[in-house]
Amino acid sequence: MDSTSITRSVVISAPRSTVWAAITDADKVAQWFGQQAEIDLAVGGRAEFTWDGHGTSRAIVTEVDEPNCFGFRWAADRDTDPVEGNSTLVRFTLAEHESGTELTVTETGFDTLDRDADARNQQREGNIQGWHAELDELVAYLHGVKA
Amino acid sequence: MTVGTYAELASVFAALSDETRWEILTELGRADHSASSLATRLPVSRQAIAKHLTALQACGLVESVKVGREVRYRALGAELGKTARTLERIGAEWDRRLAAIKNIAESM
């Protein structure tokens, strides 16, 4: 796993089939990921998540392995198809747990997004104070999210 | 999440995807250095140091300052701090979504 990944896990008191439905059934997905969702649950299928007032976010399903794994490539920009350079990969894994199901989500590929030199240069001004502490915090944080 | 934020995140991580650059940043976090003083501290050639410094400067993690006849390099905290905060925000957003999934699944 690369250092630009986000990883989060939660233990849910429900069987994997129930958790699987919560993350792949569009009506249920619309309750936690935007306000409306459409999912063609097949590899290569299209998915759309709509946030009221913020447009629609498009995705392409990359992995359907019920009830173990569900993944999609997600466009970083609204109303845009996900392609190389504008999207991250979201992957859910479901594992048996003594109290139900452990659901882990990873979002990777932030380092593959196209960069914008102007946006970058605007950020050059900085303050060296606290820099060392921030670096330590970042390292600690990255160790945390990689674990 | 805006395009600019993702683009900045990507450029910072591209620059940080190298062990020597972390070592350079750590050295510059302690004190400003010229390229040659960095080369004496790290097991890397002066030429390689210069390349790494260029990459770190391009994404705003390091700046160069002329002190007399010497060019010294200085670490900039703003971009790194922003990167860390952006990752924290994305992580917090996933925490919120996972908590919502938990509620949905446990009430089914």
Side-chain angles (χ1 to χ4, degrees), chain B residues 4-16:
Chain B
T5 317
Y6 270 130
E8 287 156 28
L9 201 60
S11 71
V12 169
F13 276 114
L16 291 178

Side-chain angles (χ1 to χ4, degrees), chain A residues 57-58 74-78 86-88 113, chain B residues 1-3 6:
Chain A
S57 178
R58 297 182 195 161
W74 186 24
D77 311 324
R78 296 286 148 86
N86 83 341
S87 57
T88 52
L113 296 166
Chain B
M1 185 65 54
T2 64
V3 185
Y6 270 130

Side-chain angles (χ1 to χ4, degrees), chain A residues 4 6 8 11 13 18 28 32-33 76-77 107 110 113-115 119-120 123-125 131 134-135 138 141, chain B residues 3 6-7 10-11 13-14 22 25 29 57-58 76-80 82 87 91 94-95 97 102 105-106 108:
Chain A
T4 71
I6 302 282
R8 287 293 193 275
V11 174
S13 315
T18 305
K28 295 177 180 71
W32 59 269
F33 205 63
D77 311 324
E107 185 171 359
F110 293 103
L113 296 166
D114 285 339
R115 53 183 89 175
R120 219 157 64 206
Q123 300 303 326
R124 287 214 183 181
E125 287 191 22
W131 189 87
E134 275 179 344
L135 178 56
L138 179 65
Y141 180 75
Chain B
V3 185
Y6 270 130
S11 71
F13 276 114
W22 281 96
L25 280 174
Q57 276 184 283
L76 294 174
E79 191 64 27
L80 203 51
K82 227 176 69 176
L87 281 183
W94 280 116
D95 285 339
R97 288 176 186 145
K102 185 176 161 77
E106 289 180 353
M108 276 163 71

